mmCIF file of all heavy atoms in Angstrom:
data_model
loop_
_atom_site.group_PDB
_atom_site.id
_atom_site.type_symbol
_atom_site.label_atom_id
_atom_site.label_comp_id
_atom_site.label_asym_id
_atom_site.label_seq_id
_atom_site.Cartn_x
_atom_site.Cartn_y
_atom_site.Cartn_z
ATOM 1 N N ASN A 1 7.526 19.262 2.212
ATOM 2 C CA ASN A 1 7.409 20.650 2.659
ATOM 3 C C ASN A 1 6.883 21.581 1.576
ATOM 4 O O ASN A 1 6.461 22.705 1.859
ATOM 5 C CB ASN A 1 8.778 21.160 3.142
ATOM 6 C CG ASN A 1 9.198 20.506 4.441
ATOM 7 O OD1 ASN A 1 8.370 20.217 5.302
ATOM 8 N ND2 ASN A 1 10.505 20.249 4.578
ATOM 9 N N THR A 2 6.916 21.138 0.308
ATOM 10 C CA THR A 2 6.449 21.997 -0.780
ATOM 11 C C THR A 2 4.935 21.914 -0.971
ATOM 12 O O THR A 2 4.351 22.776 -1.631
ATOM 13 C CB THR A 2 7.146 21.602 -2.099
ATOM 14 O OG1 THR A 2 6.783 20.260 -2.448
ATOM 15 C CG2 THR A 2 8.654 21.715 -1.951
ATOM 16 N N GLU A 3 4.297 20.869 -0.429
ATOM 17 C CA GLU A 3 2.850 20.698 -0.615
ATOM 18 C C GLU A 3 2.092 21.483 0.452
ATOM 19 O O GLU A 3 2.313 21.315 1.652
ATOM 20 C CB GLU A 3 2.470 19.225 -0.540
ATOM 21 C CG GLU A 3 1.008 18.968 -0.882
ATOM 22 C CD GLU A 3 0.677 17.497 -0.954
ATOM 23 O OE1 GLU A 3 1.546 16.671 -0.592
ATOM 24 O OE2 GLU A 3 -0.439 17.158 -1.370
ATOM 25 N N LYS A 4 1.193 22.346 -0.012
ATOM 26 C CA LYS A 4 0.398 23.182 0.882
ATOM 27 C C LYS A 4 -1.088 22.932 0.640
ATOM 28 O O LYS A 4 -1.578 23.094 -0.479
ATOM 29 C CB LYS A 4 0.700 24.669 0.656
ATOM 30 C CG LYS A 4 2.157 25.070 0.866
ATOM 31 C CD LYS A 4 2.565 24.945 2.316
ATOM 32 C CE LYS A 4 4.010 25.408 2.527
ATOM 33 N NZ LYS A 4 4.445 25.240 3.927
ATOM 34 N N THR A 5 -1.789 22.502 1.669
ATOM 35 C CA THR A 5 -3.247 22.376 1.617
ATOM 36 C C THR A 5 -3.804 23.124 2.822
ATOM 37 O O THR A 5 -3.046 23.684 3.623
ATOM 38 C CB THR A 5 -3.691 20.896 1.656
ATOM 39 O OG1 THR A 5 -3.488 20.377 2.972
ATOM 40 C CG2 THR A 5 -2.911 20.061 0.647
ATOM 41 N N ILE A 6 -5.119 23.103 2.968
ATOM 42 C CA ILE A 6 -5.692 23.799 4.123
ATOM 43 C C ILE A 6 -5.316 23.110 5.435
ATOM 44 O O ILE A 6 -5.468 23.689 6.506
ATOM 45 C CB ILE A 6 -7.224 23.922 4.003
ATOM 46 C CG1 ILE A 6 -7.887 22.543 4.031
ATOM 47 C CG2 ILE A 6 -7.606 24.699 2.748
ATOM 48 C CD1 ILE A 6 -9.399 22.601 4.133
ATOM 49 N N VAL A 7 -4.800 21.873 5.356
ATOM 50 C CA VAL A 7 -4.409 21.149 6.574
ATOM 51 C C VAL A 7 -3.259 21.857 7.270
ATOM 52 O O VAL A 7 -3.326 22.155 8.469
ATOM 53 C CB VAL A 7 -4.037 19.692 6.243
ATOM 54 C CG1 VAL A 7 -3.428 19.007 7.459
ATOM 55 C CG2 VAL A 7 -5.273 18.929 5.796
ATOM 56 N N ASN A 8 -2.173 22.143 6.527
ATOM 57 C CA ASN A 8 -1.055 22.847 7.173
ATOM 58 C C ASN A 8 -1.224 24.360 7.141
ATOM 59 O O ASN A 8 -0.599 25.069 7.911
ATOM 60 C CB ASN A 8 0.294 22.445 6.563
ATOM 61 C CG ASN A 8 0.289 22.480 5.050
ATOM 62 O OD1 ASN A 8 -0.684 22.847 4.419
ATOM 63 N ND2 ASN A 8 1.413 22.082 4.466
ATOM 64 N N GLU A 9 -2.086 24.858 6.242
ATOM 65 C CA GLU A 9 -2.338 26.299 6.194
ATOM 66 C C GLU A 9 -3.135 26.765 7.409
ATOM 67 O O GLU A 9 -2.829 27.793 8.013
ATOM 68 C CB GLU A 9 -3.099 26.650 4.915
ATOM 69 C CG GLU A 9 -3.385 28.132 4.744
ATOM 70 C CD GLU A 9 -2.271 28.880 4.049
ATOM 71 O OE1 GLU A 9 -1.360 28.218 3.506
ATOM 72 O OE2 GLU A 9 -2.305 30.116 4.049
ATOM 73 N N PHE A 10 -4.189 25.998 7.749
ATOM 74 C CA PHE A 10 -5.075 26.394 8.847
ATOM 75 C C PHE A 10 -4.925 25.489 10.069
ATOM 76 O O PHE A 10 -5.781 25.480 10.943
ATOM 77 C CB PHE A 10 -6.535 26.381 8.371
ATOM 78 C CG PHE A 10 -6.800 27.288 7.197
ATOM 79 C CD1 PHE A 10 -7.611 26.868 6.147
ATOM 80 C CD2 PHE A 10 -6.246 28.550 7.138
ATOM 81 C CE1 PHE A 10 -7.861 27.697 5.063
ATOM 82 C CE2 PHE A 10 -6.482 29.389 6.051
ATOM 83 C CZ PHE A 10 -7.289 28.959 5.013
ATOM 84 N N GLU A 11 -3.822 24.696 10.108
ATOM 85 C CA GLU A 11 -3.483 23.839 11.243
ATOM 86 C C GLU A 11 -4.621 22.871 11.599
ATOM 87 O O GLU A 11 -5.072 22.783 12.735
ATOM 88 C CB GLU A 11 -3.118 24.695 12.458
ATOM 89 C CG GLU A 11 -1.898 25.582 12.220
ATOM 90 C CD GLU A 11 -1.542 26.408 13.440
ATOM 91 O OE1 GLU A 11 -2.295 26.374 14.434
ATOM 92 O OE2 GLU A 11 -0.502 27.091 13.404
ATOM 93 N N LEU A 12 -5.070 22.118 10.595
ATOM 94 C CA LEU A 12 -6.136 21.125 10.795
ATOM 95 C C LEU A 12 -5.511 19.747 10.985
ATOM 96 O O LEU A 12 -5.828 18.791 10.276
ATOM 97 C CB LEU A 12 -7.084 21.125 9.591
ATOM 98 C CG LEU A 12 -7.724 22.470 9.241
ATOM 99 C CD1 LEU A 12 -8.599 22.342 8.004
ATOM 100 C CD2 LEU A 12 -8.534 23.006 10.407
ATOM 101 N N THR A 13 -4.610 19.653 11.945
ATOM 102 C CA THR A 13 -3.865 18.419 12.149
ATOM 103 C C THR A 13 -4.499 17.568 13.252
ATOM 104 O O THR A 13 -5.297 18.051 14.051
ATOM 105 C CB THR A 13 -2.418 18.745 12.536
ATOM 106 O OG1 THR A 13 -2.433 19.667 13.634
ATOM 107 C CG2 THR A 13 -1.672 19.375 11.373
ATOM 108 N N CYS A 14 -4.116 16.298 13.248
ATOM 109 C CA CYS A 14 -4.480 15.319 14.279
ATOM 110 C C CYS A 14 -5.966 14.934 14.221
ATOM 111 O O CYS A 14 -6.766 15.543 13.507
ATOM 112 C CB CYS A 14 -4.105 15.822 15.664
ATOM 113 S SG CYS A 14 -2.325 16.156 15.810
ATOM 114 N N ASP A 15 -6.319 13.914 14.978
ATOM 115 C CA ASP A 15 -7.654 13.326 14.906
ATOM 116 C C ASP A 15 -8.754 14.293 15.289
ATOM 117 O O ASP A 15 -9.878 14.207 14.787
ATOM 118 C CB ASP A 15 -7.730 12.093 15.811
ATOM 119 C CG ASP A 15 -6.880 10.952 15.290
ATOM 120 O OD1 ASP A 15 -6.513 10.996 14.098
ATOM 121 O OD2 ASP A 15 -6.578 10.033 16.064
ATOM 122 N N GLU A 16 -8.472 15.224 16.187
ATOM 123 C CA GLU A 16 -9.528 16.139 16.634
ATOM 124 C C GLU A 16 -9.985 17.085 15.528
ATOM 125 O O GLU A 16 -11.059 17.680 15.620
ATOM 126 C CB GLU A 16 -9.066 16.945 17.849
ATOM 127 C CG GLU A 16 -7.822 17.793 17.613
ATOM 128 C CD GLU A 16 -6.548 17.080 18.015
ATOM 129 O OE1 GLU A 16 -6.563 15.837 18.025
ATOM 130 O OE2 GLU A 16 -5.558 17.764 18.306
ATOM 131 N N ASN A 17 -9.189 17.207 14.459
ATOM 132 C CA ASN A 17 -9.566 18.068 13.340
ATOM 133 C C ASN A 17 -9.934 17.273 12.092
ATOM 134 O O ASN A 17 -10.223 17.857 11.052
ATOM 135 C CB ASN A 17 -8.419 19.032 13.000
ATOM 136 C CG ASN A 17 -8.227 20.110 14.056
ATOM 137 O OD1 ASN A 17 -9.184 20.783 14.437
ATOM 138 N ND2 ASN A 17 -7.004 20.273 14.525
ATOM 139 N N ALA A 18 -9.923 15.943 12.201
ATOM 140 C CA ALA A 18 -10.218 15.112 11.031
ATOM 141 C C ALA A 18 -11.618 15.366 10.499
ATOM 142 O O ALA A 18 -11.847 15.338 9.283
ATOM 143 C CB ALA A 18 -10.037 13.637 11.386
ATOM 144 N N TRP A 19 -12.562 15.630 11.405
ATOM 145 C CA TRP A 19 -13.935 15.878 10.960
ATOM 146 C C TRP A 19 -14.038 17.153 10.132
ATOM 147 O O TRP A 19 -14.898 17.260 9.245
ATOM 148 C CB TRP A 19 -14.868 15.959 12.172
ATOM 149 C CG TRP A 19 -14.656 17.178 13.034
ATOM 150 C CD1 TRP A 19 -13.803 17.299 14.090
ATOM 151 C CD2 TRP A 19 -15.309 18.449 12.896
ATOM 152 N NE1 TRP A 19 -13.875 18.556 14.631
ATOM 153 C CE2 TRP A 19 -14.793 19.284 13.924
ATOM 154 C CE3 TRP A 19 -16.277 18.949 12.037
ATOM 155 C CZ2 TRP A 19 -15.214 20.602 14.084
ATOM 156 C CZ3 TRP A 19 -16.700 20.262 12.192
ATOM 157 C CH2 TRP A 19 -16.173 21.073 13.197
ATOM 158 N N LYS A 20 -13.166 18.114 10.387
ATOM 159 C CA LYS A 20 -13.196 19.354 9.607
ATOM 160 C C LYS A 20 -12.781 19.102 8.160
ATOM 161 O O LYS A 20 -13.338 19.708 7.236
ATOM 162 C CB LYS A 20 -12.277 20.397 10.245
ATOM 163 C CG LYS A 20 -12.765 20.936 11.576
ATOM 164 C CD LYS A 20 -11.847 22.044 12.084
ATOM 165 C CE LYS A 20 -12.376 22.620 13.393
ATOM 166 N NZ LYS A 20 -11.517 23.712 13.898
ATOM 167 N N ILE A 21 -11.818 18.220 7.981
ATOM 168 C CA ILE A 21 -11.393 17.882 6.618
ATOM 169 C C ILE A 21 -12.507 17.130 5.889
ATOM 170 O O ILE A 21 -12.830 17.416 4.732
ATOM 171 C CB ILE A 21 -10.109 17.034 6.657
ATOM 172 C CG1 ILE A 21 -9.002 17.788 7.391
ATOM 173 C CG2 ILE A 21 -9.660 16.679 5.243
ATOM 174 C CD1 ILE A 21 -7.751 16.966 7.613
ATOM 175 N N ALA A 22 -13.119 16.157 6.573
ATOM 176 C CA ALA A 22 -14.214 15.392 5.967
ATOM 177 C C ALA A 22 -15.421 16.281 5.682
ATOM 178 O O ALA A 22 -16.154 16.055 4.711
ATOM 179 C CB ALA A 22 -14.613 14.242 6.886
ATOM 180 N N MET A 23 -15.626 17.306 6.511
ATOM 181 C CA MET A 23 -16.780 18.184 6.353
ATOM 182 C C MET A 23 -16.733 18.974 5.046
ATOM 183 O O MET A 23 -17.767 19.345 4.497
ATOM 184 C CB MET A 23 -16.856 19.151 7.540
ATOM 185 C CG MET A 23 -18.071 20.073 7.541
ATOM 186 S SD MET A 23 -19.634 19.155 7.538
ATOM 187 C CE MET A 23 -19.549 18.356 9.147
ATOM 188 N N VAL A 24 -15.538 19.205 4.512
ATOM 189 C CA VAL A 24 -15.407 19.971 3.269
ATOM 190 C C VAL A 24 -16.157 19.280 2.134
ATOM 191 O O VAL A 24 -16.970 19.889 1.424
ATOM 192 C CB VAL A 24 -13.913 20.153 2.903
ATOM 193 C CG1 VAL A 24 -13.781 20.804 1.527
ATOM 194 C CG2 VAL A 24 -13.206 21.001 3.958
ATOM 195 N N GLY A 25 -15.896 17.976 1.948
ATOM 196 C CA GLY A 25 -16.581 17.236 0.891
ATOM 197 C C GLY A 25 -18.067 17.090 1.145
ATOM 198 O O GLY A 25 -18.882 17.134 0.213
ATOM 199 N N THR A 26 -18.447 16.930 2.399
ATOM 200 C CA THR A 26 -19.864 16.792 2.745
ATOM 201 C C THR A 26 -20.625 18.078 2.457
ATOM 202 O O THR A 26 -21.718 18.051 1.873
ATOM 203 C CB THR A 26 -20.007 16.419 4.236
ATOM 204 O OG1 THR A 26 -19.371 15.151 4.462
ATOM 205 C CG2 THR A 26 -21.466 16.323 4.629
ATOM 206 N N ILE A 27 -20.063 19.211 2.851
ATOM 207 C CA ILE A 27 -20.691 20.508 2.588
ATOM 208 C C ILE A 27 -20.825 20.738 1.089
ATOM 209 O O ILE A 27 -21.845 21.241 0.597
ATOM 210 C CB ILE A 27 -19.865 21.639 3.235
ATOM 211 C CG1 ILE A 27 -20.093 21.667 4.745
ATOM 212 C CG2 ILE A 27 -20.201 22.994 2.629
ATOM 213 C CD1 ILE A 27 -21.505 22.066 5.143
ATOM 214 N N HIS A 28 -19.804 20.348 0.339
ATOM 215 C CA HIS A 28 -19.844 20.482 -1.119
ATOM 216 C C HIS A 28 -21.002 19.689 -1.716
ATOM 217 O O HIS A 28 -21.734 20.181 -2.580
ATOM 218 C CB HIS A 28 -18.517 20.002 -1.707
ATOM 219 C CG HIS A 28 -18.378 20.234 -3.175
ATOM 220 N ND1 HIS A 28 -17.695 21.301 -3.711
ATOM 221 C CD2 HIS A 28 -18.847 19.531 -4.239
ATOM 222 C CE1 HIS A 28 -17.743 21.254 -5.025
ATOM 223 N NE2 HIS A 28 -18.436 20.177 -5.368
ATOM 224 N N SER A 29 -21.196 18.459 -1.241
ATOM 225 C CA SER A 29 -22.257 17.603 -1.775
ATOM 226 C C SER A 29 -23.639 18.107 -1.379
ATOM 227 O O SER A 29 -24.586 18.012 -2.170
ATOM 228 C CB SER A 29 -22.054 16.164 -1.271
ATOM 229 O OG SER A 29 -20.822 15.639 -1.732
ATOM 230 N N ILE A 30 -23.778 18.627 -0.168
ATOM 231 C CA ILE A 30 -25.056 19.202 0.253
ATOM 232 C C ILE A 30 -25.423 20.373 -0.645
ATOM 233 O O ILE A 30 -26.579 20.529 -1.062
ATOM 234 C CB ILE A 30 -24.995 19.637 1.728
ATOM 235 C CG1 ILE A 30 -24.881 18.403 2.638
ATOM 236 C CG2 ILE A 30 -26.219 20.452 2.118
ATOM 237 C CD1 ILE A 30 -24.651 18.737 4.099
ATOM 238 N N ALA A 31 -24.444 21.198 -0.971
ATOM 239 C CA ALA A 31 -24.687 22.341 -1.856
ATOM 240 C C ALA A 31 -25.128 21.878 -3.235
ATOM 241 O O ALA A 31 -26.007 22.493 -3.861
ATOM 242 C CB ALA A 31 -23.423 23.189 -1.957
ATOM 243 N N GLN A 32 -24.544 20.781 -3.727
ATOM 244 C CA GLN A 32 -24.941 20.258 -5.038
ATOM 245 C C GLN A 32 -26.402 19.806 -5.044
ATOM 246 O O GLN A 32 -27.100 19.955 -6.041
ATOM 247 C CB GLN A 32 -24.029 19.107 -5.431
ATOM 248 C CG GLN A 32 -22.641 19.534 -5.859
ATOM 249 C CD GLN A 32 -21.796 18.375 -6.318
ATOM 250 O OE1 GLN A 32 -21.757 17.329 -5.666
ATOM 251 N NE2 GLN A 32 -21.110 18.530 -7.427
ATOM 252 N N ALA A 33 -26.856 19.237 -3.919
ATOM 253 C CA ALA A 33 -28.251 18.803 -3.827
ATOM 254 C C ALA A 33 -29.199 19.999 -3.935
ATOM 255 O O ALA A 33 -30.198 19.950 -4.654
ATOM 256 C CB ALA A 33 -28.485 18.065 -2.513
ATOM 257 N N PHE A 34 -28.897 21.067 -3.234
ATOM 258 C CA PHE A 34 -29.708 22.280 -3.334
ATOM 259 C C PHE A 34 -29.618 22.887 -4.731
ATOM 260 O O PHE A 34 -30.577 23.478 -5.234
ATOM 261 C CB PHE A 34 -29.273 23.306 -2.289
ATOM 262 C CG PHE A 34 -29.739 22.990 -0.901
ATOM 263 C CD1 PHE A 34 -28.836 22.615 0.084
ATOM 264 C CD2 PHE A 34 -31.080 23.063 -0.559
ATOM 265 C CE1 PHE A 34 -29.250 22.313 1.373
ATOM 266 C CE2 PHE A 34 -31.516 22.757 0.726
ATOM 267 C CZ PHE A 34 -30.596 22.394 1.693
ATOM 268 N N ALA A 35 -28.448 22.754 -5.354
ATOM 269 C CA ALA A 35 -28.248 23.325 -6.686
ATOM 270 C C ALA A 35 -29.175 22.692 -7.716
ATOM 271 O O ALA A 35 -29.580 23.347 -8.690
ATOM 272 C CB ALA A 35 -26.791 23.156 -7.110
ATOM 273 N N LEU A 36 -29.519 21.400 -7.525
ATOM 274 C CA LEU A 36 -30.437 20.739 -8.451
ATOM 275 C C LEU A 36 -31.782 21.456 -8.499
ATOM 276 O O LEU A 36 -32.403 21.588 -9.561
ATOM 277 C CB LEU A 36 -30.631 19.276 -8.043
ATOM 278 C CG LEU A 36 -29.430 18.341 -8.232
ATOM 279 C CD1 LEU A 36 -29.733 16.982 -7.631
ATOM 280 C CD2 LEU A 36 -29.080 18.212 -9.704
ATOM 281 N N LEU A 37 -32.231 21.913 -7.327
ATOM 282 C CA LEU A 37 -33.513 22.627 -7.265
ATOM 283 C C LEU A 37 -33.401 24.027 -7.838
ATOM 284 O O LEU A 37 -34.221 24.451 -8.659
ATOM 285 C CB LEU A 37 -33.990 22.681 -5.811
ATOM 286 C CG LEU A 37 -34.208 21.340 -5.106
ATOM 287 C CD1 LEU A 37 -34.580 21.563 -3.646
ATOM 288 C CD2 LEU A 37 -35.297 20.541 -5.814
ATOM 289 N N ILE A 38 -32.364 24.755 -7.421
ATOM 290 C CA ILE A 38 -32.193 26.134 -7.877
ATOM 291 C C ILE A 38 -31.910 26.179 -9.368
ATOM 292 O O ILE A 38 -32.493 26.965 -10.106
ATOM 293 C CB ILE A 38 -31.045 26.806 -7.086
ATOM 294 C CG1 ILE A 38 -31.394 26.874 -5.605
ATOM 295 C CG2 ILE A 38 -30.768 28.202 -7.629
ATOM 296 C CD1 ILE A 38 -30.263 27.396 -4.740
ATOM 297 N N GLY A 39 -30.990 25.324 -9.827
ATOM 298 C CA GLY A 39 -30.614 25.329 -11.233
ATOM 299 C C GLY A 39 -31.761 24.954 -12.152
ATOM 300 O O GLY A 39 -31.933 25.551 -13.215
ATOM 301 N N GLY A 40 -32.556 23.957 -11.743
ATOM 302 C CA GLY A 40 -33.697 23.565 -12.577
ATOM 303 C C GLY A 40 -34.713 24.678 -12.721
ATOM 304 O O GLY A 40 -35.229 24.928 -13.810
ATOM 305 N N PHE A 41 -35.005 25.359 -11.620
ATOM 306 C CA PHE A 41 -35.950 26.475 -11.663
ATOM 307 C C PHE A 41 -35.429 27.599 -12.552
ATOM 308 O O PHE A 41 -36.154 28.125 -13.402
ATOM 309 C CB PHE A 41 -36.196 27.002 -10.246
ATOM 310 C CG PHE A 41 -36.972 28.287 -10.202
ATOM 311 C CD1 PHE A 41 -38.350 28.286 -10.348
ATOM 312 C CD2 PHE A 41 -36.320 29.505 -10.028
ATOM 313 C CE1 PHE A 41 -39.070 29.483 -10.325
ATOM 314 C CE2 PHE A 41 -37.029 30.695 -9.997
ATOM 315 C CZ PHE A 41 -38.407 30.687 -10.143
ATOM 316 N N PHE A 42 -34.163 27.971 -12.368
ATOM 317 C CA PHE A 42 -33.579 29.072 -13.140
ATOM 318 C C PHE A 42 -33.531 28.725 -14.623
ATOM 319 O O PHE A 42 -33.850 29.550 -15.490
ATOM 320 C CB PHE A 42 -32.172 29.375 -12.621
ATOM 321 C CG PHE A 42 -31.562 30.615 -13.214
ATOM 322 C CD1 PHE A 42 -31.702 31.835 -12.571
ATOM 323 C CD2 PHE A 42 -30.839 30.559 -14.392
ATOM 324 C CE1 PHE A 42 -31.146 32.985 -13.107
ATOM 325 C CE2 PHE A 42 -30.275 31.699 -14.947
ATOM 326 C CZ PHE A 42 -30.431 32.921 -14.299
ATOM 327 N N SER A 43 -33.142 27.491 -14.927
ATOM 328 C CA SER A 43 -33.027 27.061 -16.317
ATOM 329 C C SER A 43 -34.383 27.049 -17.008
ATOM 330 O O SER A 43 -34.507 27.471 -18.157
ATOM 331 C CB SER A 43 -32.386 25.674 -16.370
ATOM 332 O OG SER A 43 -32.291 25.205 -17.687
ATOM 333 N N ASP A 44 -35.419 26.563 -16.326
ATOM 334 C CA ASP A 44 -36.752 26.512 -16.912
ATOM 335 C C ASP A 44 -37.351 27.913 -17.101
ATOM 336 O O ASP A 44 -38.115 28.151 -18.035
ATOM 337 C CB ASP A 44 -37.686 25.682 -16.030
ATOM 338 C CG ASP A 44 -37.347 24.198 -16.085
ATOM 339 O OD1 ASP A 44 -36.678 23.781 -17.048
ATOM 340 O OD2 ASP A 44 -37.726 23.474 -15.158
#
């Protein structure tokens, strides 16, 4: 009961919400791919 994540905070329980949890990491990785382009341009 002491552990709080977005699962119990935003009620992302059961199989119908499993894709929402998996989507967090996927969205993060997609952003990193775009960051390679933006960061390289800005750095140069």
Side-chain angles (χ1 to χ4, degrees):
N1 290 325
T2 63
E3 187 174 8
K4 301 293 182 182
T5 73
I6 64 171
V7 171
N8 48 3
E9 181 88 11
F10 302 138
E11 298 181 355
L12 304 178
T13 52
C14 301
D15 292 343
E16 59 266 24
N17 289 309
W19 69 271
K20 291 184 178 181
I21 302 173
M23 183 58 66
V24 173
T26 298
I27 284 293
H28 187 98
S29 298
I30 292 173
Q32 286 183 314
F34 284 111
L36 290 173
L37 301 176
I38 297 174
F41 170 79
F42 188 93
S43 178
D44 289 340

